[in-house]
Each structure stands twice: as C-alpha cells, then as structure tokens.
Amino acid sequence: MEIDNLTPAELRVWRAFPKGEAVDFRTAEDEDVAGGAGWGGERTVRASVLRALMLNGPLEDGEIPALKVAGARITGVLGLQYGTVEHAVRLSHCFFDDTPLLYGCRLRQLNLSGSVLPGLTAATVHVEAVLRLTDVRVNGPVRLGGAQIAGALFMDRAEITAVGAGEPALQLNHMSIGDDLWAPGLRAHGEVRLNGATVAGSVNLNDARLSHPGDIVLDAQTLVVEGDFHLRRSHTFGWIGLRGARIAGRLDFSYAHLSNPGDAALRANSSTIGELWLRKGPPVEGTLSLRRAQIDDLFLEPEVVPQEVQFNKLVYTSLTPQEPAERRLPMLERDREGYVPHAYEQLTAAYRRIGDDHAARLVQLAKQRRRRATLPWYGRLWGHVQDAAVGYGFHPLRAGVWLVSLLAVGSVAFGLHHPPPLKAGEAPHFDPVFYTLDLLLPVISFGQEGAFAPRGWYQSLSYALVIAGWILATTVFAGVTRTINRQ
C-alpha cells in the first residue's frame, strides 16, 4: 500500500506500527464506543490499511512491531482468512462498521477489548498467546468454533446479542483452550455453544446472564474441562445441556438462578463430574436431570431441588450437606420416571458411608412403601400387612409389641372363661397364658391348644389368634430375609 494514499489518522497508525507504539484516538477513557458510527475522518481507519500492516507492515531494525490502536472507527471488512500475522494486534475500544473475517487465520495475540462489532467470524483461528474480548459488545454472532488458543480466552463482561440471527450467539464448539476460559459477567442473548470444546484450565462464568428462553441456552455437551466450571450467581433462561461432559473439578452453581419452566433447566445426563454444587440459590425452575451421571461429591441442598427430577442410574460417592432422611426423601418422590429403585439404593449407600444407619433404614422403608404403590391389589394388601406388622423388617420390635398385645388379650379372655377340655380327666391343667401362646406360635407347642375346645365367640377368637400368629411369623421371616439379602 502506498503511504501517499493514507489519511492523517491512518498515517499515525502506519508510523507507530514498526516501533509497536500505541495510537489512541479517544477523547476520554470512558467514552461510549457505541456511538462510533458518528466519528469523523480524524479517527477513521480503513480495514485495508490495518490488513496491510498485519500481513506486510514496515519494519525497523532493533524494534518489535505491533499494531496497537484504540478509539478508532474501522471501515470496510478486515479480511484475514488463512493469513498469518506475526505481530501482536490490539484494536481496543474501536468501532467496526463490518464483521471482521479471521477464518483460519494465525495470530500471535489478538485484543479487541472494549470494541463494538456487528459480529466476529474467526472459526478455526489459531492464537499463539491469548485472545481478549473483554467488555466487547457484539450485535451479531461470534464464531470461534474449532479455534485453537494456546493461552487463555478472556470474555469478561462481554455482551453478545444475536437474537433472530438463526444461529448461536457465541460459538465456541470444538474449541481448544490451553488455559482458562475467563468470562465472568458475560451477557449473551441467544445460545452459547461449547459442545466438544476442551479447556485445559477452568471455565469462569460467574455472574453471567445467559438468555434463550424455551430453548438451549448453554450447549456444553461432551465438553472437557480439566479444572473447575464456575457459574456462581449466574442467571440462565433456557436449558443447559451437559450430556457426556467431563469436568475434573467442581461444577459450581452456587447462588445461581436456573430457569426454564415446563422443560429441563439442567441436563447433565451421562456426565462425569468431580463435584456438583447446587446450593444457596432459589429452587431450580424446570427439571433437574442427572440420569446416568457419575459424580464424586454431590452438594445438593433440598431447598434448591425442583418439583421434578430425573435421577435414574445417577451414581455419587458422597452427598452433602448432611441432612436427615426426611429432608432427602421428597426429592426421590419427584422423579419423573416414578418409582426408581436405584435412586433409593444410592441414597441408602450415601448414609451408610457416613455411618447413619438410622437414616439408611428410613430410606429403605420409604423404598418399600413406594414400591408397594406399583404392585397389584393383593401385593399392596400384603405390603400393608408387612408394614403394619414389622415395618418391612426395619422395625422388628413392632412384632414383639403385637405379640405381647395379642397375648394379653387372649390371656384375659380365656382366663375369664376357660374352654372345656376335649377329654375330661386327661387334659392338663389349663393355663390361659400358655394356651394363648400355643395359638399364636405356629411351631412351638405347650400341649394346651389340642387339649381344649373353645366354643362360641371364644372359638372365633382362637381362630383369629392363630391367623395373627401365622401373619406375624411370615412377616418376621420376610423382614429377616430382606435384611440378610441387603447385607
């Protein structure tokens, strides 16, 4: 490019480039870049001039060239498809008339912090250091799918609006980041796509506000994060997809507000997570789906659990905070699939790991009662009998209470009215206590039952005691068997 064709503003940039000096056109550090369309020629730079500097700019011996421009209006399309830029590029607080095209480009470093753009097309871009999009405002899709960034990606306080664009607002799918994805305070109006991405460090979306109501707002399926994934104090309107994701550290939704009424708010099916924290926030608005997920430490406060969950085949090693079983059981009753035995077994195992056998028994009892509702009428009837008699084997002392009560009733009744002997002169001395025990205990015999023959309603009482004895014996046996099998 001929230097004679440059405007005064472009000439300043051209002369500063070889020495890596910064050119700042701003009138104040806090000026609103959104009004850049009205900036005059004194701060307007053509994209073709910047492109010429990036690809083949002038050099000076002993100097390190760099393109550092702030507060400029950039006209035309900055097209660097498949180009290689050997120098650091900083175009901060600039107003772009057209979407930069950086598809397949190779850059040392790129800094667009504070700039306003109609979009950004930089899929499969390679950045040797960091990519900074801090405080950018983009009124169109940001396409970074397949990009490879050796350092970190900074998008803190960025605002991206792509409603009606027909594609995701922020496209980071299949991206490779060698350090952190740092985006606290991100504002995205439209889908954020992270599926298939790999982050060697951590992901920070604290205080983010992601909005795509009724649709997927954060697509992070098969995402791999070697560190933590923070979404503390975030607000999401739409559903989050984490199916098949692998997060080695903590997935932290502390103080977060997840909202997608009428559908799933969080789908983390088949994911592998070190720690999942859902705490200190309002109840999730929508379904919480953790089917087939594997989590080392599940930090789930009962107050955060929504009205509908999916926990089938969810596996977790520990469940915190430590809560009584009465506080945990309602969340299992909200499972969309109805009675899910595996969910009860997982909760039982969690209580046993911390030595709370009482809570574990309560969970198992609740499981049997929930199962009873799925049985035919005769199974439900027998279940009620087992529950009343011995609490499905988890309250064995209840059988003793029934036995003592029935023994007292029979002893008093037969003590007041002795049944006549079958063979006078051969019958043993009548003992109402042992006679009642003979009726109640199916196997043990004290020689009383076969020697006397009650009549009238006493005969009916004896039949009732025999039946009650068999029921007690059967339920006790069933309870003991269930306990042995469980151990």
Side-chain angles (χ1 to χ4, degrees):
M1 175 171 286
E2 295 294 335
I3 193 171
D4 296 337
N5 296 329
L6 302 180
T7 66
E10 294 169 346
L11 190 59
R12 284 182 59 189
V13 176
W14 192 276
R15 289 174 176 171
F17 173 81
K19 297 180 181 180
E21 296 176 347
V23 178
D24 194 345
F25 293 104
R26 291 178 294 174
T27 57
E29 290 189 1
D30 60 348
E31 71 175 351
D32 188 3
V33 182
W39 293 343
E42 72 280 0
R43 54 191 303 183
T44 299
V45 179
R46 288 172 293 172
S48 57
V49 175
L50 300 179
R51 182 179 186 277
L53 287 173
M54 291 183 198
L55 298 179
N56 194 26
L59 306 177
E60 289 187 15
D61 293 339
E63 300 292 344
I64 301 176
L67 182 60
K68 301 177 182 178
V69 180
R73 177 186 178 186
I74 300 173
T75 60
V77 178
L78 181 58
L80 292 166
Q81 302 96 313
Y82 304 106
T84 299
V85 180
E86 300 289 349
H87 324 294
V89 177
R90 187 179 71 198
L91 300 173
S92 60
H93 302 91
C94 292
F95 183 90
F96 288 78
D97 281 358
D98 297 288
T99 299
L101 302 179
L102 309 180
Y103 186 92
C105 176
R106 291 182 175 270
L107 297 156
R108 286 285 182 88
Q109 179 174 319
L110 178 61
N111 187 342
L112 299 176
S113 297
S115 295
V116 175
L117 307 94
L120 177 62
T121 299
T124 68
V125 68
H126 285 60
V127 181
E128 294 180 10
V130 299
L131 173 58
R132 292 188 180 273
L133 299 174
T134 299
D135 291 313
V136 299
R137 281 175 284 176
V138 187
N139 296 313
V142 174
R143 305 180 182 96
L144 285 166
Q148 296 186 32
I149 301 174
L153 170 59
F154 294 92
M155 298 192 70
D156 34 322
R157 300 179 302 279
E159 183 170 358
I160 304 168
T161 303
V163 177
E167 59 179 303
L170 178 57
Q171 303 170 32
L172 307 178
N173 46 300
H174 303 288
M175 193 178 198
S176 175
I177 302 176
D179 202 335
D180 293 342
L181 169 53
W182 188 262
L186 173 69
R187 300 290 185 269
H189 305 277
E191 179 187 340
V192 175
R193 184 169 290 178
L194 266 169
N195 60 296
T198 302
V199 181
S202 296
V203 177
N204 188 327
L205 289 175
N206 290 340
D207 302 294
R209 192 175 185 88
L210 312 178
S211 180
H212 198 203
D215 210 330
I216 185 165
V217 67
L218 177 60
D219 182 359
Q221 299 180 73
T222 66
L223 168 70
V224 176
V225 179
E226 299 298 339
D228 298 330
F229 193 159
H230 293 288
L231 286 141
R232 297 169 67 91
R233 300 176 300 278
S234 61
H235 286 66
T236 60
F237 302 93
W239 60 275
I240 299 173
L242 286 165
R243 182 181 59 82
R246 183 172 65 83
I247 300 170
R250 180 190 307 165
L251 175 59
D252 192 350
F253 287 100
S254 299
Y255 306 95
H257 181 192
L258 310 183
S259 177
N260 191 36
D263 199 352
L266 174 61
R267 294 173 176 164
N269 303 334
S270 304
S271 59
T272 303
I273 303 171
E275 301 177 25
L276 174 57
W277 285 25
L278 281 162
R279 57 187 284 272
K280 303 301 182 185
V284 175
E285 297 177 8
T287 304
L288 172 62
S289 183
L290 300 176
R291 297 176 71 246
R292 300 182 303 278
Q294 297 188 28
I295 302 170
D296 289 338
D297 184 8
L298 178 58
F299 196 122
L300 181 61
E301 291 183 340
E303 296 83 2
V304 180
V305 179
Q307 292 302 312
E308 189 173 75
V309 299
Q310 288 185 293
F311 288 165
N312 195 8
K313 298 183 181 179
L314 165 65
V315 177
Y316 50 87
T317 303
S318 63
L319 179 63
T320 51
Q322 186 173 346
E323 296 276 0
E326 294 83 357
R327 296 256 294 157
R328 292 292 185 189
L329 285 171
M331 71 182 186
L332 304 188
E333 297 169 0
R334 301 172 188 171
D335 201 293
R336 189 174 184 177
E337 299 181 29
Y339 170 58
V340 180
H342 183 269
Y344 287 90
E345 293 300 326
Q346 277 294 300
L347 185 57
T348 300
Y351 279 122
R352 283 179 177 158
R353 289 189 191 99
I354 61 176
D356 194 343
D357 292 331
H358 173 69
R361 287 194 297 272
L362 288 180
V363 175
Q364 285 294 304
L365 178 57
K367 175 189 173 185
Q368 293 301 324
R369 288 172 174 169
R370 188 78 185 278
R371 175 179 174 272
R372 184 173 66 208
T374 67
L375 300 176
W377 67 268
Y378 48 85
R380 294 196 299 272
L381 178 61
W382 177 238
H384 281 293
V385 171
Q386 291 188 78
D387 196 358
V390 290
Y392 283 100
F394 299 102
H395 297 296
L397 293 179
R398 190 178 296 176
V401 174
W402 280 104
L403 181 62
V404 171
S405 301
L406 294 173
L407 178 61
V409 171
S411 299
V412 172
F414 292 116
L416 294 175
H417 188 279
H418 293 193
L422 287 174
K423 295 181 180 181
E426 296 182 11
H429 174 71
F430 179 78
D431 189 312
V433 175
F434 283 94
Y435 180 75
T436 305
L437 282 174
D438 247 354
L439 296 173
L440 285 172
L441 301 179
V443 178
I444 300 175
S445 176
F446 296 100
Q448 294 278 318
E449 180 183 1
F452 300 92
R455 298 173 182 173
W457 77 271
Y458 289 99
Q459 187 178 32
S460 300
L461 175 61
S462 67
Y463 292 159
L465 291 174
V466 171
I467 294 172
W470 275 104
I471 291 175
L472 279 175
T474 305
T475 53
V476 168
F477 177 77
V480 171
T481 303
R482 187 179 295 109
T483 303
I484 293 174
N485 290 338
R486 191 168 58 250
Q487 294 175 349

